[in-house]
Amino acid sequence: MNKKGHVLNAALLSIGLGYVLEPSGDVPTFVAIAEMTVPLVLGALFPDVDTAFGKHRKTLHNFLVLGIFVAFPILFDNLHFVWIGVLTHYILDLFGSRRGLAFFYPYEKEYSLPIGVTTSSKWADLVTVLITLAEVALFAAVHYYVVPLDGGLDGGLDAVTTLLGL
């Protein structure tokens, strides 16, 4: 996937997850969307920093990097939702191209799927939207049936509701 696809995915995912975490469709929903948009876009773009150094689809496209971003909110109580952007970047690269990812880098073997759409394909945007819908459904299932994913939203929602007198 290219930058456009990763940003499209992150923006749509922010909207979808905003409604999953705050389904009311009013101020708390839009606060949740706003609170997630920047971290998701940053996370979605971060793995491609390895185009400037290291080896693309290896140096920053692996489980170690994802683990660091998953651990950050737990250890430091910041960077909430950035890990989701990183994870969805990997998913888009896996489904949105024919080249694999070196999940266990520095072991350089790339793992790929037998399917994929090239970024220049006329179907690339549609595939991005379909993958995003599947991601929202998966996150909703995890949120409602496994573990709530809204731990990072409380502070922002409290501040806005206080400011608006709600």
Side-chain angles (χ1 to χ4, degrees):
M1 233 358 96
N2 58 20
K3 283 182 245 179
K4 174 187 165 198
H6 290 301
V7 171
L8 175 64
N9 174 257
L12 294 175
L13 196 58
S14 298
I15 294 167
L17 290 181
Y19 277 94
V20 167
L21 298 177
E22 293 292 340
S24 63
D26 55 10
V27 172
T29 303
F30 297 109
V31 169
I33 292 168
E35 191 171 8
M36 284 186 281
T37 299
V38 171
L40 282 172
V41 170
L42 290 174
L45 293 174
F46 178 78
D48 282 343
V49 170
D50 67 8
T51 59
F53 72 91
K55 298 178 180 179
H56 185 52
R57 295 235 177 150
K58 291 182 174 43
T59 307
L60 297 176
H61 287 70
N62 58 67
F63 291 134
L64 176 61
V65 170
L66 179 60
I68 291 168
F69 280 101
V70 168
F72 240 84
I74 297 166
L75 297 173
F76 303 109
D77 196 32
N78 64 11
L79 296 182
H80 298 281
F81 305 110
V82 174
W83 70 271
I84 296 172
V86 173
L87 176 62
T88 59
H89 181 110
Y90 296 175
I91 292 168
L92 277 181
D93 278 0
L94 200 57
F95 284 95
S97 73
R98 303 202 178 191
R99 182 176 171 197
L101 301 173
F103 289 121
F104 302 102
Y105 187 78
Y107 177 64
E108 295 200 21
K109 180 178 179 3
E110 292 185 3
Y111 296 88
S112 62
L113 298 174
I115 58 173
V117 176
T118 61
T119 56
S120 61
S121 168
K122 66 179 183 179
W123 302 104
D125 289 341
L126 176 62
V127 168
T128 298
V129 170
L130 292 174
I131 289 170
T132 304
L133 290 172
E135 289 169 343
V136 169
L138 179 63
F139 281 111
V142 169
H143 175 68
Y144 290 117
Y145 300 110
V146 181
V147 61
L149 298 173
D150 56 353
L153 290 177
D154 295 337
L157 289 176
D158 290 344
V160 171
T161 55
T162 301
L163 180 66
L164 296 175
L166 300 173

